Structure formats: structure tokens, C-alpha cells
RNA sequence: GCGGAUAUGGUGUAGUGGUAACAUAGGAGGUUUCCAACCUCUUGUCGCGGGUUCGACUCCCGCUAUCCGCACCA
């Protein structure tokens, strides 16, 4: 970072703190790393970004909004792979209290202890009793998961279950797939969205809003049928080239459509969401010239993903990944299905039903059951593999190696025609995941303009009206002759309108008040002057142009 | 986690082993017919905890936080 950048960053951070946009949390107690407050102005900004995000996706028409708990049982995140991926398993020496990583202790007892589950590690630890690296004693406490997730206990005492604060919102959307599928009348594709808090106990939070321990995230899980060719309309982005850092191609400029057609972006739905993501970012005020997409290299890709692109935004900290758009395949639903035994599938009908001619043998339950007892199931399985020309009695070797003799009376011919009209499959998921805090940071970074007027230092936040925390400032030119009173009335009227925030300011010169409003990016300032008292009109001043025009109070 | 730097009103800075200053911002009033004007009054500061000392914002130690490298990192 160059010197002017650093000082600009310091002035920006100072302003954000002074004006109540972004502040270190719990500061009177000394603060806490990686935790920030959105202040009286920032809170509203965050809310408007979230709302804009929700509306952006809901407008697709097949998206529903849900909200899941942040407190998540251990089993959920074990199934998702987070316990394994995010965890170090710790154990404590009962003699010297030194904590060690269980997998490191067991390196000489197993070829790849990193891949073991918690219980496997525990039993291996119990068997091998490795010496403590600091005191050589081999007595260890039970293994606990120690990782980037904040762990907690759900419930008290003996009935308490281990759990975590979620590291992402996604898992709740996967675990509620059956309800989502039903709600969508069992038709794909559809999506679920959620905005909320996520938690990661980062080793070393840095760079202000860029790496937090508690952060705002917004995720879309879009469930698709992998057997269907996705069709997306890319015409809205025709002729618009975007910077892509592709795994194989390097840095290229091309349209989304072109990138999808030429397999630079490997899946059309991923490409479509990249385009929609681009639209969202510009909608909330990110400079379109400072957005690029970077494809994950194969070895960088998370354990589940088959193609993944980050939207990166350039700002005071360089290029920062702010959105991840991943094709996760069927990984997530499959994992939860395996862990729970519950079906997380969707039904598809074949275009042509498959006709299966079955001609073979099956068991006669009333005879084979009593004859083979516990083996009856295995016998049935074996008999159904036999060709129709088999003759009985017949000696059969079962799957478990046992030999049985099957008599004619144990079996019957099975001749029928079966029509299979479709199948149950695990949907694939394309997931755009947004780091809201990082996006808000870049909105502020891009909007912050201290170029000023006539060479003077003058700060303006060129925030998009979509996200500006305060919609209007109402000023009386002077607080006398009834101008203050009229301005107050207008202020209360404006505030009573839904989704409008107005601020009243009557102190200081009019220029100073415009400056205060510009600094936090208020798009429009309304001034009550002498003429207002006579004809019921006010002036509206535009933040970016400084131009004023006069309108009737009633038309506001 | 390792190494380096830093911590003084809301913000930005000065300064000292003997109770802290400047600018700016904020509040009240005055003045002013639209872009940080002016005048008067006023609010508010040495990150936290130990130690040394008659006395610590200042010196020492620890902690916390911030910034910069390194490591780690959906």
C-alpha cells in the first residue's frame, strides 16, 4: 500500500468512527479483536444492504427466504465436513496441563491421523498412550474438538449436547431441504436465501472489516437438476466485458455469455449467478471497474466444490474476495443424507418410461422363511440373481460365504413387466455466498471522496440511494420566524413514511449542515426558507451535483 | 502464534517524573437570505492492571487493542 493510501484509509476509518458508521465493539472494556459495531448510521446502512440483497434474489421468482439458528448441533457440522475441515482435535496432558494436537501425537502410530474422526482418534490414543512432548507422561484427557468454530454446549449439565455457532448459513438450508422441496411443489430449480450472522474464531483477525470473528453473510442455495441443461438468458449483459482470472486462461476480458459458451465458466448457472452478482454489487454502489472474478485453482477449491469463482473487489486493502460462487455438486445433501439416513432427494420422471422385463426366481416366503430363518433374506437375494433356466434343488453360496441347499418348494417363478417412470436423485447446488461486511467496507471505500471543492478538503460519501442510511436531511435556513417549526413538522412527516429516514439539523451555518450531510452520504437535503413560509415550497438539494430546485411541501 | 511499531478529549495531534495543551468536532446563545464564515459561553482526554517513587500520563513489567511483515485462513 502506498503512503497516500494509508493516510486516506486512516482518515476514512476516523470518519466512520466519528460519524457512527463503524466502530470497534465493546471499546470501553478495551475492545475485542475481530468484532465491530455498526453505529447509528452504519446499522441502517447494513440493513439496507441486506434488504437490497434479499430483493435482488427474490426478484428471480423461485427463491424463498428462510432463517435458521446460529447455534448448531455438533452432528450437523460433523456431517457437513466442518468438524473435520475446520477442527484440530486437542487433548490435555493430565500431568502437566499442556495441550497437544491429538493427530500430531499419533503420527508415529498411524499413516494419516489427520483423516481420522474424533472417535477413531480417541480409541487410537487410548491404545497407544503416546508420551507428552513436554513431560513424557502418557496420561491424556478425552479429546475435544478445537477449531475455527466457536464451540458451545446446548443445554446444561449431563443433558448438554455439544454444538457450535455456525461458520456459514448454508447448512440450515440444506437440512431444511425437505420442507423447501415441498414448499416449491416438488419442482426444481428453486433457491433458498438467508442473511445472518456467521462465526469463525479466526487466529488473527486483521484489516478491520475484512476478517471478522462475527460477520454478516448472505447466501443463496440454488437447487438444480443435474440431468437438465440449464438455460439462462445472458442478453442483459451482452456487450459488457468483465475481467476474469481463469484457472487455465489467465486474465481475460469477455462477456459472461462468451465465457460460458467457451467453458471458461464451466457451468451456465454459475455464470448466470456471477452476472447477477455483478449487478448486485453495482446496485449497492461498488465501482464496476473495480470488480473482477477469479476462478479457484483445482487444489485451492474447497473439499466439496467442482467449480468456484470469487468476486473480488479492489479497495484500500488490494483485491479482496467478497463473494464466492461455488458449484457444490451434490456434496452437501449427500453428506446429510448419509449422516441421517433421511432422503434429501428430488424426483424426476423419465421422458420415456423404462420397461423392465423380469424373468427369474424369487423365494416362496412361507416355505423359505421357516427353512432358512435368519438367512432367509440372503437366500432371497441370491435366488433373485439366478437365471430363469436354473433347476432345483440347487446348492447356493450366500454373500457371507455360507452354503445352503435350495429346494423347489422354497422358490417360485417371477415373471412380470415393471415400468419405471422416473427416479429419485440428489439435487446439485450452486451457492453464491456473500460477505456482507466486506461488501459494505468496499461500498464505503468506493464512495468516500475527499477531493473537495476548490482545492479545499471536503468529504462526500457518494452512496447509492439504494443503501444511503439517511434519505433526507431537513434544515431550516434559520431557526426563527417559524422556519424551525415548519422544518420539524416536515421532518416528522417524512419519518412517518415507511422506509424513510430523515434527520433534522438546525445548528450551524447552512453550509456546515450540508457538509455534515454530505459526509455520511445523504442524497437529498431539504431546506425551509422564508419563501417556504409564504408559498409552502422548499428547496431540494442534490448531494452530488449541489443543484437545488424548489418543490411544494405537499409533493414530498 | 512469531517479529516490529503504536496507544493523550468524539476526531487529529503537542507535551512533561510535580494534576495536560492546540486544532477540529459537539452543546447553548448571538449574528447571518443556501454550501465547513464570525462572536460569546460551554462539555469532554493520558487503553487496562501491576511495580518503582513522596508523587507516574511520563520510567519498568504484564495484559488488551490497533497498524505493518510472517504464518494460518470458507
Amino acid at each position: 500500500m502506498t503512503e497516500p493510501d494509508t493516510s486516506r484509509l486512516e482518515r476514512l476509518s476516523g470518519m466512520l468512527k466519528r460519524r457512527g458508521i463503524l466502530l470497534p465493539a465493546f471499546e470501553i472494556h478495551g475492545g475485542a479483536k475481530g468484532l465491530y459495531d455498526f453505529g447509528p448510521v452504519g446499522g441502517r446502512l447494513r440493513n439496507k444492504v441486506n434488504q437490497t440483497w434479499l430483493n435482488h434474489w427474490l426478484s428471480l421468482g423461485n427463491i424463498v427466504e428462510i432463517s435458521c439458528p446460529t447455534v448448531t448441533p455438533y452432528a450437523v457440522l460433523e456431517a457437513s465436513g466442518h468438524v473435520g475441515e475446520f477442527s484440530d482435535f486437542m487433548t490435555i496432558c493430565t500431568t502437566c496441563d499442556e495441550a497437544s494436537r491429538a493427530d500430531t501425537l499419533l503420527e508415529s502410530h498411524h499413516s494419516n491421523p489427520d483423516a481420522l474422526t474424533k472417535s477413531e482418534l480417541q480409541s487410537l490414543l487410548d491404545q497407544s498412550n503416546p508420551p507428552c512432548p513436554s513431560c513424557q507422561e502418557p496420561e491424556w484427557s478425552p479429546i475435544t474438538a478445537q477449531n475455527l468454530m466457536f464451540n458451545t454446549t446446548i443445554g446444561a449439565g449431563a443433558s448438554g449436547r455439544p454444538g457450535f455457532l455456525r461458520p456459514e448459513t448454508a447448512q440450515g438450508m440444506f437440512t431444511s431441504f425437505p420442507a423447501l422441496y415441498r414448499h416449491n411443489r416438488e419442482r426444481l430449480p428453486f433457491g433458498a436465501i438467508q442473511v445472518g450472522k456467521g462465526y469463525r474464531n479466526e487466529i488473527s483477525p486483521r484489516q478491520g472489516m475484512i476478517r471478522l470473528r462475527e460477520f454478516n453473510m448472505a447466501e443463496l442455495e440454488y437447487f438444480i437438476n443435474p440431468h437438465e441443461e440449464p438455460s439462462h438468458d445472458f442478453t442483459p449483459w451482452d456487450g459488457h466485458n468483465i475481467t476474469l482470472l481463469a484457472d487455465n486462461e489467465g486474465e481475460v476480458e469477455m462477456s459472461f455469455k462468451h465465457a460460458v459458451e467457451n467453458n471458461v465458466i464451466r457451468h451456465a448457472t454459475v455464470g448466470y449467478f456471477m452476472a447477477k452478482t455483478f449487478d448486485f454489487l453495482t446496485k449497492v454502489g461498488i465501482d464496476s471497474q473495480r470488480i473482477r472474478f477469479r476462478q479457484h485453482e483445482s487444489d485451492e477449491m474447497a473439499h466439496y466444490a467442482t467449480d468456484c469463482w470469487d468476486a473480488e473487489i479492489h479497495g484500500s486493502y488490494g483485491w479482496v474476495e467478497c463473494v464466492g460462487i461455488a458449484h457444490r455438486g451434490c456434496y452437501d445433501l449427500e453428506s446429510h443424507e448419509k449422516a441421517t439416513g433421511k432422503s434429501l432427494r428430488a424426483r424426476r420422471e423419465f421422458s420415456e418410461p423404462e420397461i423392465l422385463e423380469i424373468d427369474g426366481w424369487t423365494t416362496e416366503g412361507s416355505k423359505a422363511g421357516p427353512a432358512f430363518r435368519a438367512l432367509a433374506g440372503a437366500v432371497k437375494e441370491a435366488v433373485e440373481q439366478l437365471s430363469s433356466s436354473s433347476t432345483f434343488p440347487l446348492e447356493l453360496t450366500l454373500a457371507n460365504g455360507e452354503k445352503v441347499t435350495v429346494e423347489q418348494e422354497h422358490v417360485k417363478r417371477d415373471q412380470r413387466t415393471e415400468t419405471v417412470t422416473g427416479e429419485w436423485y440428489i439435487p446439485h447446488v450452486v451457492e453464491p455466498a456473500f460477505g456482507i461486511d466486506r461488501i459494505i467496507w468496499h461500498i464505503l471505500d468506493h464512495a468516500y471522496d475527499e477531493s473537495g471543492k476548490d482545492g479545499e478538503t471536503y468529504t462526500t460519501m457518494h452512496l447509492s440511494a439504494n443503501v444511503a442510511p439517511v434519505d433526507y436531511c431537513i434544515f431550516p435556513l434559520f431557526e426563527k420566524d417559524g422556519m424551525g417549526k415548519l422544518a420539524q413538522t416536515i421532518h416528522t412527516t417524512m419519518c412517518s413514511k415507511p422506509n424513510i429516514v430523515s434527520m433534522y439539523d438546525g445548528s450551524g451555518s447552512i453550509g456546515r449542515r450540508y457538509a455534515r450531510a454530505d459526509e455520511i452520504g445523504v442524497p437529498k437535503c431539504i431546506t425551509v426558507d422564508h419563501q417556504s413560509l409564504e408559498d409552502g415550497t422548499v428547496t431540494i438539494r442534490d448531494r452530488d451535483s449541489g443543484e437545488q430546485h424548489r418543490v411544494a411541501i405537499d409533493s414530498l
Side-chain angles (χ1 to χ4, degrees):
Chain A
M1 211 185 308
T2 60
E3 193 53 43
D5 282 341
T6 310
S7 55
R8 176 184 181 273
L9 182 56
E10 279 166 8
R11 288 191 300 278
L12 171 56
S13 304
M15 187 280 283
L16 295 174
K17 192 173 173 187
R18 177 162 38 85
R19 296 307 307 271
I21 297 172
L22 226 47
L23 311 91
F26 312 119
E27 206 181 12
I28 61 168
H29 284 280
K33 232 177 193 179
L35 300 175
Y36 274 82
D37 284 340
F38 287 96
V41 175
R44 175 83 186 146
L45 171 64
R46 186 195 73 131
N47 190 277
K48 288 189 88 166
V49 172
N50 281 348
Q51 198 56 56
T52 305
W53 188 89
L54 288 168
N55 291 340
H56 184 74
W57 296 107
L58 288 171
S59 73
L60 292 183
N62 61 343
I63 307 287
V64 291
E65 180 189 354
I66 66 170
S67 178
C68 303
T70 57
V71 176
T72 308
Y74 186 97
V76 173
L77 291 157
E78 186 177 46
S80 69
H82 283 90
V83 171
E85 286 292 313
F86 277 55
S87 284
D88 292 336
F89 291 108
M90 303 295 286
T91 178
I92 303 201
C93 172
T94 53
T95 311
C96 71
D97 275 347
E98 194 68 26
S100 292
R101 280 178 59 166
D103 56 342
T104 311
L105 287 173
L106 294 167
E107 262 163 8
S108 57
H109 301 271
H110 193 276
S111 56
N112 186 16
D114 200 31
L116 296 178
T117 66
K118 185 184 172 192
S119 54
E120 287 167 339
L121 277 173
Q122 183 70 63
S123 55
L124 188 58
L125 181 72
D126 294 343
Q127 285 163 28
S128 49
N129 291 314
C132 171
S134 44
C135 74
Q136 308 308 319
E137 293 297 321
E139 295 297 321
W140 296 99
S141 73
I143 292 174
T144 53
Q146 203 78 33
N147 76 357
L148 289 177
M149 295 190 287
F150 283 96
N151 53 21
T152 184
T153 305
I154 306 172
S159 64
R161 298 168 65 201
F164 299 100
L165 298 181
R166 66 182 177 197
E168 58 176 31
T169 63
Q171 296 311 318
M173 298 194 266
F174 298 131
T175 55
S176 40
F177 176 79
L180 296 168
Y181 182 57
R182 214 165 36 245
H183 174 83
N184 285 281
R185 312 302 296 274
E186 309 189 353
R187 261 172 242 161
L188 265 60
F190 65 83
I193 52 175
Q194 175 165 200
V195 298
K197 295 295 189 97
Y199 302 83
R200 289 179 196 178
N201 203 355
E202 296 284 352
I203 296 167
S204 178
R206 281 289 172 82
Q207 299 177 308
M209 294 292 285
I210 303 302
R211 190 175 302 170
L212 298 171
R213 288 197 167 122
E214 171 174 325
F215 48 92
N216 294 283
M217 61 195 318
E219 293 183 300
L220 161 63
E221 307 300 333
Y222 196 71
F223 298 96
I224 56 176
N225 178 349
H227 307 283
E228 246 167 41
E229 268 307 303
S231 83
H232 296 289
D233 180 10
F234 286 96
T235 51
W237 300 276
D238 274 355
H240 186 96
N241 280 356
I242 185 82
T243 306
L244 301 173
L245 291 175
D247 189 9
N248 299 321
E249 320 274 326
E251 181 166 342
V252 290
E253 303 266 336
M254 59 176 76
S255 70
F256 288 111
K257 187 177 184 180
H258 189 258
V260 168
E261 283 171 355
N262 289 275
N263 208 36
V264 175
I265 299 170
R266 295 171 194 152
H267 193 278
T269 305
V270 172
Y272 181 67
F273 286 151
M274 287 166 67
K276 292 297 286 184
T277 295
F278 181 83
D279 280 359
F280 168 75
L281 293 175
T282 52
K283 196 186 278 186
V284 294
I286 299 291
D287 178 357
S288 63
Q289 297 302 304
R290 289 195 270 175
I291 300 172
R292 71 180 188 193
F293 288 88
R294 195 175 65 82
Q295 189 172 34
H296 282 207
E297 292 165 24
S298 327
D299 58 353
E300 179 192 5
M301 213 122 59
H303 53 101
Y304 44 74
T306 58
D307 191 16
C308 187
W309 290 81
D310 284 339
E312 299 186 329
I313 304 176
H314 191 264
S316 299
Y317 297 109
W319 287 102
V320 173
E321 51 191 89
C322 295
V323 185
I325 300 156
H327 190 299
R328 299 170 70 121
C330 63
Y331 174 84
D332 301 280
L333 291 175
E334 190 177 43
S335 301
H336 287 291
E337 197 175 71
K338 277 183 187 157
T340 60
K342 306 273 193 260
S343 167
L344 298 176
R345 294 182 184 231
R347 174 82 184 174
R348 71 179 181 112
E349 300 301 325
F350 298 137
S351 49
E352 296 278 311
E354 286 178 15
I355 314 289
L356 294 177
E357 294 295 345
I358 295 172
D359 183 10
W361 299 91
T362 188
T363 50
E364 180 64 56
S366 60
K367 304 284 187 200
F372 300 111
R373 294 176 175 271
L375 295 174
V379 171
K380 181 175 185 187
E381 215 167 276
V383 166
E384 286 178 356
Q385 301 301 315
L386 296 172
S387 77
S388 53
S389 58
S390 302
T391 56
F392 300 89
L394 179 70
E395 184 148 302
L396 267 182
T397 305
L398 303 181
N400 64 5
E402 282 196 57
K403 287 186 163 60
V404 294
T405 304
V406 180
E407 305 290 344
Q408 182 70 52
E409 62 164 3
H410 294 147
V411 298
K412 60 183 178 190
R413 271 315 275 278
D414 183 17
Q415 278 181 306
R416 65 198 151 86
T417 305
E418 206 167 79
T419 307
V420 182
T421 60
E423 69 172 355
W424 293 90
Y425 66 95
I426 302 179
H428 284 198
V429 173
V430 179
E431 175 200 81
F434 290 67
I436 295 293
D437 308 279
R438 290 181 173 188
I439 291 169
I440 288 176
W441 168 260
H442 286 95
I443 290 171
L444 295 167
D445 195 357
H446 290 185
Y448 183 66
D449 171 20
E450 48 189 13
S451 61
K453 305 171 178 174
D454 313 322
E456 299 280 311
T457 302
Y458 188 94
T459 304
T460 307
M461 270 286 180
H462 296 285
L463 292 175
S464 153
N466 294 323
V467 298
V470 178
D471 302 286
Y472 296 100
C473 276
I474 318 291
F475 305 144
L477 193 52
F478 306 107
E479 271 185 320
K480 62 179 185 187
D481 305 334
M483 285 183 280
K485 194 161 178 248
L486 179 55
Q488 281 282 13
T489 309
I490 296 172
H491 166 64
T492 350
T493 310
M494 297 303 276
C495 282
S496 69
K497 294 175 196 280
N499 299 319
I500 294 290
V501 169
S502 150
M503 254 174 38
Y504 176 89
D505 190 352
S507 72
S509 73
I510 191 73
R512 175 186 296 268
R513 283 176 270 163
Y514 284 140
R516 282 196 283 241
D518 288 342
E519 195 176 36
I520 60 167
V522 182
K524 303 281 181 194
C525 292
I526 295 173
T527 302
V528 172
D529 58 12
H530 291 93
Q531 191 181 332
S532 309
L533 301 171
E534 289 157 20
D535 64 5
T537 62
V538 290
T539 62
I540 296 192
R541 166 195 179 265
D542 178 76
R543 176 194 65 206
D544 297 331
S545 67
E547 282 167 12
Q548 297 182 26
H549 62 278
R550 186 167 281 277
V551 300
I553 293 169
D554 298 336
S555 70
L556 288 172

